[in-house]
Amino acid sequence: MAEKERSIHGEVVVAANLKDVWEAWTTEAGVKTFFAPDCQIDLKPTGKYEMYFSPESQPGVRGGEGCRVLAAQPMSMLSFTWNAPPSLPEVRGQYTHVVVRFCEMDGGVRVVLTNDGWGSGSEWDKAYDYFKAAWLKVVLPRLRLRFAKGPINWESPPDLDDL
């Protein structure tokens, strides 16, 4: 029997309208308000979906470089590739798969994120653990905070304990 594939699954309800939450994930201006201080997005299949967490670093170690849009269904679903941080070079050149779904509801938007496509081995285990914390304890909480209190100040980001 095949081993069940691991995935990261998280969700958050954001007190905002669907258009604004969609644009937070799918436009460069929106991404800079919660996800990363810099980015490149070309919202079409195989277009860039690159997040630069260290934009002043040398190319290749700025963050989510080389990531691509897989699909975008406006106001409903965004899918993109995702890679490991530069600190995990054995798996950095390989990509996982992220799907973000958006569901309008009373009082806001439910955002559901799933990240799958994980390999096996110790470096893959480290990447999985890293992104489980990053998606669930940083990115999704910052999205909620962005709409509750305004855009993230990247020169003085909120303490993770405050998220």
Side-chain angles (χ1 to χ4, degrees), residues 90-109:
E90 288 176 33
V91 297
R92 179 153 169 85
Q94 300 182 57
Y95 295 85
T96 61
H97 170 250
V98 177
V99 177
V100 183
R101 296 194 181 275
F102 305 83
C103 180
E104 194 167 29
M105 52 188 285
D106 287 340
V109 177

Side-chain angles (χ1 to χ4, degrees), residues 5 9 19 23 42 44 59 75 77 82 88-89 93 102 111 115 139 146:
E5 181 179 354
H9 179 83
K19 180 179 182 288
E23 288 179 356
D42 183 10
K44 65 181 182 187
M75 309 295 168
M77 186 274 298
W82 199 245
L88 299 172
F102 305 83
V111 177
N115 185 186
V139 177
R146 178 266 175 265

Side-chain angles (χ1 to χ4, degrees), residues 42-143:
D42 183 10
L43 196 63
K44 65 181 182 187
T46 73
K48 288 184 177 186
Y49 197 79
E50 297 186 347
M51 300 298 131
Y52 306 137
F53 302 104
S54 299
E56 303 303 318
S57 295
Q58 293 293 324
V61 294
R62 294 179 293 181
E65 296 165 281
C67 298
R68 299 287 178 181
V69 173
L70 295 172
Q73 297 171 354
M75 309 295 168
S76 176
M77 186 274 298
L78 170 66
S79 178
F80 52 91
T81 62
W82 199 245
N83 61 354
S87 62
L88 299 172
E90 288 176 33
V91 297
R92 179 153 169 85
Q94 300 182 57
Y95 295 85
T96 61
H97 170 250
V98 177
V99 177
V100 183
R101 296 194 181 275
F102 305 83
C103 180
E104 194 167 29
M105 52 188 285
D106 287 340
V109 177
R110 183 167 58 104
V111 177
V112 179
L113 180 143
T114 304
N115 185 186
D116 62 11
W118 301 96
S120 59
S122 66
E123 198 155 290
W124 277 107
D125 293 344
K126 290 175 187 174
Y128 177 85
D129 292 343
Y130 178 92
F131 282 110
K132 186 172 185 181
W135 292 126
L136 304 181
K137 296 180 180 180
V138 179
V139 177
L140 291 178
R142 278 186 179 166
L143 175 68

